[in-house]
Amino acid sequence: MGLKDRMIKNEVKVDLSGNLFYILGQEKAGKSTLYADFVKSYYGDVNKGFYIPFEKGYSYLKDLNRNDSVVTEWTDFIDIVDELVDESEELGIKTICIDTYDKFVNVATKEVLRLSKLKDGKKVDSLDGAFGGFARGKKKLAEIVDEQIQRLKNVGILVVVIGHTKYKKLKLKSTNEEYSVLGSNMTEDIHKIIANYADLIVMLTIEP
């Protein structure tokens, strides 16, 4: 069988189930509002979305189903994921929103430090020192984050992660000239935990 026999025409389906969206923006750019409006316009039912706050920024979001409190412990997040996965059909939730990524990472980091102490019997204060160093802490962070995200995606839930932006100064190697770029406020390796696997990345800016 030749290449011509194996060739098929790809068809794009408008199905967002099991995808990962990454929304970045400045403070008060309307990131959470965008998610709330998306749930209403795309699904036509606010009950199809579930907002998981890792910081309190939902006071003015109308008609948005959310967790009853800010998530501060990784075990609490896993409990939420467990219910979403085990009762996905009964709950009827099609999309969840993690807001915001930096606070989410802080909660996940606490869990990595706890796991590192359990393994090595030593208290560590940063990812760099976790699991004996040599970037093992960041690798573990990526592992536990990806594990829960994949569980949600595997049952067809659209995962939306909201993050903050920051202007960073860079230099052209040829002229040493400085210029600014707008990107994630996280370090590149932490940013890529989500960015590398995102099906869509949206960056919001505020026009002066």
Side-chain angles (χ1 to χ4, degrees):
M1 185 170 66
L3 179 61
K4 191 172 182 179
D5 298 311
R6 299 198 304 270
M7 195 179 298
I8 62 171
K9 185 177 180 181
N10 189 51
E11 294 183 7
V12 178
K13 297 179 180 179
V14 184
D15 182 7
L16 302 183
S17 60
N19 282 353
L20 172 62
F21 289 178
Y22 191 16
I23 302 175
L24 296 158
Q26 299 165 260
E27 295 281 352
K28 308 306 177 186
K31 302 179 294 295
S32 303
T33 301
L34 175 63
Y35 174 74
D37 290 345
F38 162 75
V39 173
K40 285 183 279 189
S41 63
Y42 185 77
Y43 296 103
D45 182 357
V46 295
N47 294 315
K48 300 296 183 184
F50 187 61
Y51 178 85
I52 307 174
F54 284 78
E55 64 178 13
K56 192 171 182 180
Y58 47 75
S59 300
Y60 297 101
L61 296 177
K62 187 180 179 182
D63 296 328
L64 180 65
N65 285 332
R66 64 171 176 85
N67 196 54
D68 60 0
S69 60
V70 173
V71 177
T72 59
E73 299 295 333
W74 191 250
T75 50
D76 292 336
F77 177 61
I78 291 179
D79 286 343
I80 293 171
V81 175
D82 285 345
E83 286 198 57
L84 287 167
V85 171
D86 295 341
E87 302 175 28
S88 58
E89 291 188 15
E90 181 182 342
L91 292 169
I93 292 173
K94 300 297 183 182
T95 174
I96 66 102
C97 179
I98 293 170
D99 190 6
T100 58
Y101 184 47
D102 46 357
K103 301 300 182 183
F104 173 74
V105 167
N106 288 346
V107 172
T109 296
K110 282 198 304 181
E111 176 66 3
V112 171
L113 301 185
R114 185 187 73 84
L115 293 173
S116 177
K117 185 180 178 182
L118 282 177
K119 181 179 181 294
D120 300 329
K122 298 177 182 178
K123 182 180 179 181
V124 290
D125 299 319
S126 69
L127 285 175
D128 290 336
F131 293 96
F134 299 101
R136 294 191 186 100
K138 289 183 179 178
K139 184 177 179 181
K140 187 66 176 179
L141 175 70
E143 180 185 305
I144 67 171
V145 167
D146 184 64
E147 178 184 5
Q148 300 309 317
I149 297 294
Q150 291 303 322
R151 291 180 65 205
L152 292 164
K153 292 178 64 177
N154 287 342
V155 294
I157 291 176
L158 166 65
V159 179
V160 178
V161 178
I162 289 177
H164 289 126
T165 54
K166 177 183 178 180
Y167 279 102
K168 299 177 182 180
K169 288 188 176 181
L170 300 175
K171 284 186 178 181
L172 290 172
K173 290 183 179 180
S174 56
T175 63
N176 216 32
E177 184 181 352
E178 277 193 347
Y179 64 98
S180 296
V181 295
L182 185 64
S184 169
N185 68 330
M186 310 296 288
T187 58
E188 192 65 14
D189 49 359
I190 301 298
H191 164 67
K192 285 183 176 180
I193 294 174
I194 292 296
N196 280 358
Y197 301 101
D199 298 286
L200 177 69
I201 298 177
V202 177
M203 190 170 295
L204 305 181
T205 60
I206 300 175
E207 293 294 331

